[in-house]
Amino acid sequence: MIISEAFEVHTTLNPKIWTEDNQLRPEVKAKIIEIVDAFKEYIEVPIYISDICLIGSNASYNYTDSSDLDVHIIANYDLVTADTEILQSLYNTLRAKFGKDYDISIHGVEIELFVEDVKTNAVTNGIYSIYQDKWIKFPKPLQNIVQYDIFKEMEFWKVRADAAIRSNDKDDIAKVISNIYLLRKNSLATGGEYSKGNQIFKEIRNQGILDDL
């Protein structure tokens, strides 16, 4: 199984999101801020936002019609009196629930929220700051991307997710979800946006396995 999303490479950024001079469209910025404000009110848990950043394929040249827009809420975890791992797990749970309860999309592009500690260093091709309204890291044209065969890994995650769902055990389901996101986090940190682990994550998401969980 070779996934296609990571290998549909364009010479321009997604025109639904970016202007011809590679600036974020004003209506997209306004919508993202509106969504993040709604999320902050929705969770009823302290969150101290330092920035909102756009990353992933829609902040680069490898977007497709099914690509979502990765919106990372950069928060200062040190200002919340809670264990960091528990806080991250709570944010993950609440943002997933928020995504189910609200229509979070812009111009037909689905928005996927993430909450990230300000001390975390994301490894990605492009990073755009909403608060600063500028590129922190402008994406480079893509070359020599490795196309991994992820058939065995996908079979593993399908079986694991199906077993968790059939168990109807909230803790088991939460553990599988956390492990999937941990796969992506570790893969991004060590191999970047086009690493094998992140390609696996994208296919897990595209096949609806995360939604099922």
Side-chain angles (χ1 to χ4, degrees):
M1 173 188 293
I2 304 294
I3 63 173
S4 60
E5 179 178 341
F7 310 114
E8 188 174 317
V9 179
H10 303 266
T11 57
T12 60
L13 300 179
N14 190 342
K16 294 180 179 179
I17 307 297
W18 310 97
T19 64
E20 291 184 0
D21 57 352
N22 298 322
Q23 295 303 303
L24 187 64
R25 292 190 175 280
E27 72 274 16
V28 175
K29 178 182 177 181
K31 181 66 174 182
I32 290 170
I33 292 174
E34 176 188 325
I35 289 170
V36 172
D37 285 345
F39 172 75
K40 185 176 181 180
E41 182 177 349
Y42 173 87
I43 63 175
E44 298 182 346
V45 171
I47 183 169
Y48 297 90
I49 301 175
S50 301
D51 202 352
I52 307 168
C53 291
L54 309 184
I55 71 169
S57 55
N58 261 314
S60 188
Y61 296 96
N62 64 312
Y63 57 90
T64 70
D65 289 340
S66 62
S67 296
D68 54 23
L69 181 61
D70 291 342
V71 176
H72 283 229
I73 300 171
I74 312 301
N76 190 335
Y77 287 23
D78 288 343
L79 298 181
V80 182
T81 307
D83 177 83
T84 299
E85 290 187 6
I86 293 175
L87 186 62
Q88 184 66 68
S89 179
L90 179 60
Y91 285 150
N92 287 344
T93 301
L94 291 171
R95 63 103 187 158
K97 189 174 186 299
F98 176 77
K100 288 288 188 182
D101 291 344
Y102 288 83
D103 174 25
I104 51 175
S105 63
I106 179 72
H107 297 325
V109 178
E110 294 293 325
I111 291 174
E112 185 164 10
L113 289 180
F114 297 88
V115 182
E116 178 182 310
D117 192 347
V118 70
K119 293 180 290 187
T120 301
N121 294 317
V123 180
T124 183
N125 192 32
I127 305 174
Y128 191 93
S129 166
I130 293 291
Y131 283 177
Q132 299 180 58
D133 203 13
K134 70 176 185 179
W135 288 98
I136 302 301
K137 178 183 179 183
F138 191 79
K140 296 179 180 178
L142 306 175
Q143 297 176 346
N144 302 321
I145 301 174
V146 177
Q147 300 186 32
Y148 293 102
D149 186 340
I150 61 172
F151 177 80
K152 290 182 179 179
E153 289 85 352
M154 286 304 303
E155 289 301 300
F156 167 80
W157 285 108
K158 286 177 184 177
V159 170
R160 191 171 182 189
D162 184 61
I165 291 169
R166 284 188 287 106
S167 74
N168 203 32
D169 185 310
K170 290 183 179 180
D171 290 338
D172 192 22
I173 293 171
K175 183 177 180 181
V176 175
I177 293 172
S178 294
N179 285 342
I180 290 172
Y181 280 103
L182 187 61
L183 166 72
R184 183 189 209 193
K185 178 181 174 63
N186 291 341
S187 185
L188 285 171
T190 57
E193 188 174 349
Y194 309 104
S195 56
K196 186 175 184 178
N198 195 38
Q199 291 180 28
I200 294 168
F201 172 85
K202 288 189 175 202
E203 189 63 15
I204 289 172
R205 183 182 60 195
N206 291 345
Q207 290 193 20
I209 294 172
L210 276 171
D211 287 341
D212 291 342
L213 286 164

